Amino acid sequence: MAVETGAQLIARTLRDLGVTVIFGIVGIPVVEIAEEAINLGIRFVAFRNEQACSYAASVYGYMTGRPGVCLVVGGPGVLHTMAGIGNSSVNYFPLLVLAGSAETSAITKGAFQEMDAISLLTPHTKLAVRASSLDFLPGAVKNAYRTCWYGRPGPTFVDLPADIIQGKLSPEFPLPLPENILVAPPPRAGGDPALILKAVALLKAARAPLLIIGKGAAYARAETGIRKLVDQTQIPFLPTPMGKGVVPDSHPLNVSSARSAALKNADVVLVLGARLNWILHFGEVPKWSPQAKIIQVDIAAEEIGRNAGNSELGILGDLTLVVDQLTTSLSNWRYSPSGQFPALLAESAKKNEARAQRAALLPTPRGAPLTYQRAYHIIKSTLNSLTPCEDGGIVYVSEGANTMDISRSIFPLFHPRQRLDAGTYATMGVGMGYIVAAHEAFNATTTHPGSRNKPKKKIVALEGDSAFGFSAMEIETLARYRIPALIYVVNNSGIYHGDSTSESAWKALQDQTASNDTKADGKDTAKGLRSTSLLYETRYEMLATMCGGRGYFVRNEQELEAATREGFLSDTVTVVNMIVEPGIGKEIGFAWQNKGQEGQAKL
């Protein structure tokens, strides 16, 4: 295809970089870029909201190991895309954002959707640059692509003025050769040999060693080396929520069921691709032992020694190479459990697993709402009867407080990068975009818009009703691209907790709110709906049926099992609206932090 315009030049540059899919929303002037990209064989997945498409592009980078690309309009489009840029930055996902903007000659005049996006995004990206001329375009896009990928991954941004997009190339314009555009995978560096030896000495002397496996290990494709390290050394391991599957959850050395006991009692902890942030309680007491020696392995120097980490013990380098170095240096050593550590782990795991098993196997009383644990048990059992979980045929997406927290311990993983959740930012609203990205990452070679081929992997999403509402209109996107996701809306009619177990009681609360009723004892405390209230038993499943998909309204175990079976086998998007216990009277808190009742609200 002849390259005659800026839009064609941008599309060609993306193709030569190896981009195969773009997530975005078009409008003037970026629609021309999207159309030219499609003409070159690049898939363009069009969303309904820039937040969702930017979430999709960011996590696509995590799943594929190459940058995700997001194309949006300027002004408000960039503002909405800030959500995905923040999500990318905090989670270390490689993301390239391209956005249109006002003509260069109209800046400061109040042009259409005019905004100084460079000033806005510079503090939040690794690179933000404005393309000032046609000959600057290929280099700007290439450098932004490379920068978001190399070193610590994160977001980059290229601002594309309308006159540059629509500009005409002269016949003498020097088009770069494709081989000069292609960016090789990031260079990798091993760890300092002296620090490797120091870490090995600490592990060998440890009474209670522990490996922590984070999503950075999954991003690094380090699963083969880490599995070898675990099997060879017999050190217990603890995966973070998105680190699950790097080593199969079924492995006997997995201490997820004894998480608190493992962190509290470990004396030497090797942290592989995880950060000592809130998810790991900053590595600090009382969740961790004050005597614990923490060895961080990370690609980002600024993470070494952060919070309770020790900069003298941390190893800077590519995780795959560092793990291989450690495995080689530990080739003649195996952890021999002694003392109280193994017994503490076994006792804690036994107690926690028994409690979870009781909750999962307790039948739902007639007329009572499903519990989270019982509902998940039915879903898991039904899915396992359709496809063995060991085969890795399902990718799980999960968001929402209770929905996400409880599900992470119930659905086992045997392969990496097959569980996507709210992540480090605890971002609500990522679910629908993540479904699209997972479909593109795993199924793009077998399915495409308009096809009916069976995908390699089924995407199963567990969505809190509040979280689902952030991007629910993307159901139309799933239907349009024939993405046969199975989506459960775990509906308790509230944020964290609902208000009532019956419609009449909920309406009474609503009436009290409307009348501004107060307590009879004279205290100025309003009754009625709370700040966490959502409409009682909203019929979310109708979003699927209105788009030609399938919808199920589920109240009991039999309906849930049937909806799961039919939804899994469906070749179109399916929404199962699952009514669960509202949780009246329970404390509001993030279960992952497990801080207890102090400072928490009670509804």
Side-chain angles (χ1 to χ4, degrees):
M1 183 184 72
V3 179
E4 299 177 350
T5 67
Q8 291 173 335
L9 183 60
I10 295 166
R12 172 178 151 148
T13 302
L14 293 172
R15 182 202 63 186
D16 293 346
L17 284 167
V19 173
T20 60
V21 60
I22 298 171
F23 305 91
I25 297 182
V26 297
I28 297 173
V30 298
V31 63
E32 298 174 38
I33 300 173
E35 290 300 314
E36 296 297 346
I38 292 171
N39 291 339
L40 290 175
I42 299 174
R43 290 188 306 283
F44 186 85
V45 183
F47 283 73
R48 303 301 297 266
N49 184 284
E50 286 94 355
Q51 289 185 15
C53 70
S54 63
Y55 291 145
S58 67
V59 86
Y60 181 83
Y62 163 74
M63 286 185 290
T64 63
R66 298 184 64 91
V69 178
C70 181
L71 176 66
V72 297
V73 299
V78 172
L79 290 175
H80 292 170
T81 306
M82 279 288 293
I85 289 172
N87 196 59
S88 164
S89 180
V90 172
N91 284 290
Y92 295 176
F93 294 159
L95 169 67
L96 169 60
V97 176
L98 306 173
S101 63
E103 295 85 349
T104 52
S105 61
I107 297 300
T108 74
K109 291 184 176 180
F112 175 67
Q113 295 186 334
E114 179 184 345
M115 184 181 72
D116 184 0
I118 300 301
S119 296
L120 174 69
L121 295 179
T122 294
H124 305 286
T125 59
K126 295 181 68 179
L127 173 70
V129 61
R130 180 177 174 86
S132 56
S133 64
L134 287 169
D135 57 358
F136 183 60
L137 270 178
V141 174
K142 174 183 176 178
N143 286 331
Y145 186 89
R146 181 187 57 82
T147 301
C148 78
W149 195 14
Y150 279 35
R152 185 188 75 177
T156 56
F157 175 75
V158 180
D159 185 79
L160 302 168
D163 52 319
I164 302 298
I165 295 173
Q166 298 163 353
K168 302 295 184 180
L169 277 64
S170 67
E172 298 80 21
F173 187 89
L175 290 174
L177 296 173
E179 55 267 30
N180 293 333
I181 291 294
L182 185 65
V183 176
R188 302 189 299 163
D192 184 335
L195 293 174
I196 296 291
L197 292 177
K198 183 183 288 189
V200 166
L202 285 172
L203 289 169
K204 286 183 175 180
R207 170 188 52 80
L210 178 68
L211 304 181
I212 291 181
I213 303 170
K215 69 174 179 285
Y219 175 77
R221 272 60 182 169
E223 53 266 24
T224 300
I226 292 177
R227 291 179 186 185
K228 182 178 179 181
L229 177 65
V230 170
D231 290 336
Q232 177 181 296
T233 64
Q234 294 293 292
I235 298 175
F237 71 91
L238 175 68
T240 64
M242 284 177 61
K244 285 166 62 69
V246 170
V247 180
D249 283 343
S250 60
H251 198 288
L253 293 173
N254 183 1
V255 295
S256 292
S257 296
R259 183 181 191 274
S260 296
L263 293 177
K264 179 72 173 177
N265 294 282
D267 60 351
V268 177
V269 183
L270 178 62
V271 182
L272 302 174
R275 285 170 284 169
L276 296 177
N277 55 22
W278 65 275
I279 293 177
L280 289 175
H281 314 290
F282 314 107
E284 298 172 350
V285 294
K287 296 295 184 180
W288 291 60
S289 166
Q291 286 78 42
K293 294 180 174 62
I294 303 174
I295 306 165
Q296 297 166 273
V297 179
D298 207 290
I299 197 172
E302 58 267 38
E303 288 299 328
I304 305 296
R306 189 179 185 190
N307 296 326
N310 186 332
S311 58
E312 295 181 353
L313 300 180
I315 302 172
L316 181 67
D318 177 82
L319 191 64
T320 301
L321 297 181
V322 172
V323 167
D324 288 345
Q325 289 176 283
L326 291 168
T327 303
T328 299
S329 299
L330 289 166
S331 60
N332 296 319
W333 176 83
R334 173 175 289 212
Y335 172 54
S336 299
S338 60
Q340 296 182 339
F341 190 55
L344 285 170
L345 296 179
E347 180 183 356
S348 177
K350 181 179 179 180
K351 179 178 66 176
N352 292 334
E353 288 169 5
R355 181 169 60 245
Q357 187 76 346
R358 286 195 300 271
L361 297 180
L362 183 65
T364 307
R366 184 179 180 84
L370 292 159
T371 65
Y372 286 87
Q373 292 85 350
R374 183 60 177 169
Y376 288 163
H377 174 74
I378 293 168
I379 294 170
K380 180 178 71 173
S381 299
T382 306
L383 292 177
N384 286 347
S385 71
L386 295 166
T387 178
C389 55
E390 294 87 351
D391 291 350
I394 295 176
V395 178
Y396 291 97
V397 175
S398 184
E399 61 173 332
N402 298 320
T403 299
M404 182 176 65
D405 287 338
I406 298 171
S407 71
R408 64 182 164 83
S409 62
I410 291 180
F411 294 91
L413 289 188
F414 294 80
H415 304 275
R417 299 172 295 279
Q418 291 190 216
R419 184 181 189 277
L420 308 175
D421 64 23
T424 305
Y425 233 1
T427 309
M428 296 297 105
V430 297
M432 298 301 103
Y434 279 15
I435 290 171
V436 177
H439 178 81
E440 288 297 319
F442 288 111
N443 301 320
T445 58
T446 58
T447 63
H448 57 83
S451 78
R452 288 289 187 180
N453 297 330
K454 183 178 180 181
K456 294 178 181 177
K457 297 185 185 296
K458 187 77 172 184
I459 317 299
V460 174
L462 302 162
E463 296 278 311
D465 51 346
S466 171
F468 179 69
F470 280 71
S471 54
M473 197 59 209
E474 301 301 338
I475 290 292
E476 188 273 335
T477 304
L478 301 180
R480 184 173 5 112
Y481 287 93
R482 295 184 175 176
I483 299 175
L486 172 55
I487 302 166
Y488 296 88
V489 179
V490 185
N491 189 350
N492 66 355
S493 302
I495 303 172
Y496 297 106
H497 302 304
D499 285 313
S500 177
T501 57
S502 71
E503 186 173 10
S504 59
W506 188 89
K507 287 182 176 178
L509 292 171
Q510 197 177 24
D511 291 342
Q512 291 170 354
T513 300
S515 63
N516 198 28
D517 197 4
T518 57
K519 289 186 176 180
D521 59 10
K523 293 182 180 179
D524 189 20
T525 303
K527 297 169 68 175
L529 298 178
R530 313 304 301 173
S531 61
T532 57
S533 300
L534 296 174
L535 189 66
Y536 184 75
E537 293 191 359
T538 303
R539 299 300 296 267
Y540 297 110
E541 78 280 2
M542 293 183 178
L543 286 170
T545 57
M546 78 177 187
C547 296
R550 292 191 176 191
Y552 298 86
F553 185 71
V554 166
R555 286 181 175 275
N556 58 49
E557 297 183 9
Q558 295 74 27
E559 292 172 344
L560 177 57
E561 181 179 351
T564 297
R565 189 172 300 276
E566 294 173 19
F568 183 86
L569 298 174
S570 172
D571 63 355
T572 187
V573 60
T574 299
V575 174
V576 178
N577 186 8
M578 182 174 71
I579 305 302
V580 297
E581 58 181 348
I584 298 171
K586 293 183 179 180
E587 305 292 339
I588 284 187
F590 198 26
W592 185 258
Q593 292 179 293
N594 193 25
K595 288 185 176 180
Q597 297 183 2
E598 184 178 357
Q600 295 179 353
K602 185 173 182 178
L603 295 185

